[in-house]
């Protein structure tokens, strides 16, 4: 792993967080600190409408460390569902080759 955050890296972190019982121990400093630290790098991968949704999810998780395990689970599942949609869209737009994901234009 190069240290540059990717959707797959974030997915693995969320899976580890789930495996650890949503104790906020999947990454050093906590999950929200990780997301805050890599937001600019992730914005190179996630763009447009998708970036706005990612930022909404990120902002909604600012109190992650203070939440109950159940609330952490709900938020992590919401973020994972977003990543699933993002990957599905990316696969359709880039032929699974990677690159920036831009939202479709309004019809």
């Amino acid at each position: 792993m190069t240290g540059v955050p990717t959707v797959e890296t974030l997915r693995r972190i969320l899976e580890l967080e789930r495996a650890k019982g949503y104790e906020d121990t999947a990454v050093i400093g906590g999950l929200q600190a990780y997301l805050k630290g890599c937001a600019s790098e992730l914005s190179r991968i996630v763009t447009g409408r998708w970036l706005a949704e990612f930022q909404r999810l990120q902002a909604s998780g600012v109190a992650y460390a203070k939440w109950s395990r159940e609330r952490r689970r709900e938020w992590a599942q919401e973020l994972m569902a977003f990543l699933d949609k993002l990957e599905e869209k990316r696969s359709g737009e880039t032929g699974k080759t990677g690159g920036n994901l831009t939202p479709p234009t309004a019809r």
Side-chain angles (χ1 to χ4, degrees), residues 37-85:
C38 69
S40 65
E41 290 295 325
L42 284 171
S43 70
R44 295 178 192 181
I45 299 167
V46 183
T47 60
R49 174 175 63 92
W50 299 98
L51 179 58
E53 178 65 10
F54 173 74
Q55 289 171 332
R56 182 195 67 77
L57 285 166
Q58 180 187 4
S60 70
V62 296
Y64 187 86
K66 296 178 183 179
W67 288 342
S68 68
R69 286 186 192 170
E70 179 62 22
R71 178 63 185 111
R72 290 177 185 169
R73 182 189 62 77
E74 291 168 359
W75 182 82
Q77 287 177 338
E78 186 178 358
L79 184 54
M80 187 68 90
F82 167 77
L83 295 177
D84 291 343
K85 290 188 297 186

Side-chain angles (χ1 to χ4, degrees), residues 1 4-15 34-35 38 41-47 50 54 79-88 90-91 98-101:
M1 205 174 310
V4 177
T6 64
V7 172
E8 185 58 31
T9 301
L10 184 52
R11 182 183 305 284
R12 288 180 186 159
I13 289 169
L14 289 171
E15 290 170 355
Y34 173 81
L35 287 175
C38 69
E41 290 295 325
L42 284 171
S43 70
R44 295 178 192 181
I45 299 167
V46 183
T47 60
W50 299 98
F54 173 74
L79 184 54
M80 187 68 90
F82 167 77
L83 295 177
D84 291 343
K85 290 188 297 186
L86 182 66
E87 285 293 301
E88 182 179 301
R90 174 182 287 175
S91 295
N100 286 354
L101 175 67

